[in-house]
Amino acid sequence: MSQRSLHVAQILWPAFIVAGLIEMVVFAWVDPSALSFGSLQLGSQAVYTLAFFLFWALVAVSALLSHWMMQAGSTGKDSSAELDSSPTGAARTARGASRRTHQRRQRQHARSMA
């Protein structure tokens, strides 16, 4: 399986499951036969189908955007990593970057709790 098809599966399969759950929750309260779209009157089966595909598309777009942002964030280069290319220096730089990230997140959390 190629990397691209793996990413598509990682996005569409969870979106499919969540769309099914959303549909169950929505149609537990909404009667599809009571819905009308202007002069267009759809049957219950058509409303269920269209709603499912709409929910699936919305959740898939949301997952795609999250996946894209995670990919964009992980490809950013640390300029200090280019200065020291020795194996121990690279490990030291990675630990330092990780520590700085952890400290920044702790500060943000503390500010949000205040």
Side-chain angles (χ1 to χ4, degrees):
M1 182 179 257
S2 72
Q3 189 72 14
R4 185 179 190 99
S5 59
L6 180 64
H7 287 233
V8 169
Q10 289 173 336
I11 292 167
L12 290 181
W13 179 244
F16 179 85
I17 300 295
V18 172
L21 293 172
I22 292 172
E23 180 149 352
M24 285 188 279
V25 169
V26 167
F27 289 114
W29 286 293
V30 176
D31 181 17
S33 62
L35 296 176
S36 65
F37 304 98
S39 63
L40 181 64
Q41 197 69 329
L42 297 174
S44 297
Q45 198 73 14
V47 172
Y48 286 134
T49 303
L50 291 174
F52 174 78
F53 283 115
L54 176 69
F55 296 149
W56 192 12
L58 290 173
V59 175
V61 167
S62 173
L64 177 66
L65 289 173
S66 296
H67 185 76
W68 177 71
M69 287 187 286
M70 287 174 38
Q71 292 291 332
S74 67
T75 59
K77 290 186 177 179
D78 185 10
S79 61
S80 61
E82 296 174 358
L83 298 175
D84 191 357
S85 60
S86 67
T88 57
R92 191 171 47 247
T93 302
R95 280 194 308 269
S98 176
R99 187 176 304 121
R100 286 189 301 274
T101 301
H102 179 70
Q103 289 169 345
R104 186 183 77 240
R105 287 183 181 155
Q106 281 182 327
R107 286 192 303 272
Q108 289 172 342
H109 179 69
R111 275 185 258 146
S112 70
M113 297 304 284

